[in-house]
Amino acid sequence: MQPGSFDLVGTIIYEIDQNAYQNVFYNGTIEVTEPGGLLSVESVFLFCLAVALLGLLGFWIRGQIQNLSKKTKRAPKAKVEVGTATTDASTDEWLQGTAYSQSQANKLKKKK
């Protein structure tokens, strides 16, 4: 049933000494409402939305604090190793006969 106002008429029908009688014991309007449960879909959605917004706010504040601390303390940049500079032929033995070894030979010829 949909929530709303409805007319209700309660009638009792009975028989005494083979004579039928009818009495109305209630005639009025009743209100039908939705059951008020502890959790509804709307309240669960609003709770999840609030938690998500608080989490995003927390991450944003954390990032702002980290940015402020980075500006006050500057650590020296560490050198990043990009490779070895050796041109030892023994380490490139397994590449002999490939396109890599041919391109390296061409580079050496251009430098001279």
Side-chain angles (χ1 to χ4, degrees):
M1 281 186 107
Q2 293 291 333
S5 298
F6 296 95
D7 293 328
L8 177 66
V9 178
T11 304
I12 186 166
I13 301 172
Y14 55 95
E15 187 177 317
I16 298 177
D17 295 331
Q18 297 194 355
N19 293 326
Y21 297 98
Q22 177 177 345
N23 264 349
V24 175
F25 62 89
Y26 183 80
N27 186 4
T29 303
I30 60 168
E31 290 286 326
V32 176
T33 60
E34 291 182 11
L38 183 62
L39 290 175
S40 67
V41 174
E42 183 181 356
S43 63
V44 170
F45 173 75
L46 288 175
F47 177 76
C48 290
L49 181 65
V51 167
L53 288 176
L54 286 174
L56 286 173
L57 180 67
F59 279 122
W60 182 77
I61 290 172
R62 180 176 168 230
Q64 294 301 316
I65 291 172
Q66 286 180 348
N67 282 341
L68 289 174
S69 66
K70 284 182 183 177
K71 288 180 183 176
T72 57
K73 296 180 195 176
R74 291 210 170 179
K77 289 186 178 181
K79 290 185 179 180
V80 178
E81 184 177 336
V82 292
T84 57
T86 61
T87 56
D88 187 14
S90 64
T91 59
D92 291 338
E93 274 180 17
W94 63 280
L95 292 173
Q96 288 178 356
T98 64
Y100 177 78
S101 64
Q102 292 171 358
S103 68
Q104 292 299 322
N106 289 339
K107 284 182 185 179
L108 290 174
K109 288 179 184 177
K110 287 180 183 178
K111 285 183 179 179
K112 290 180 183 180

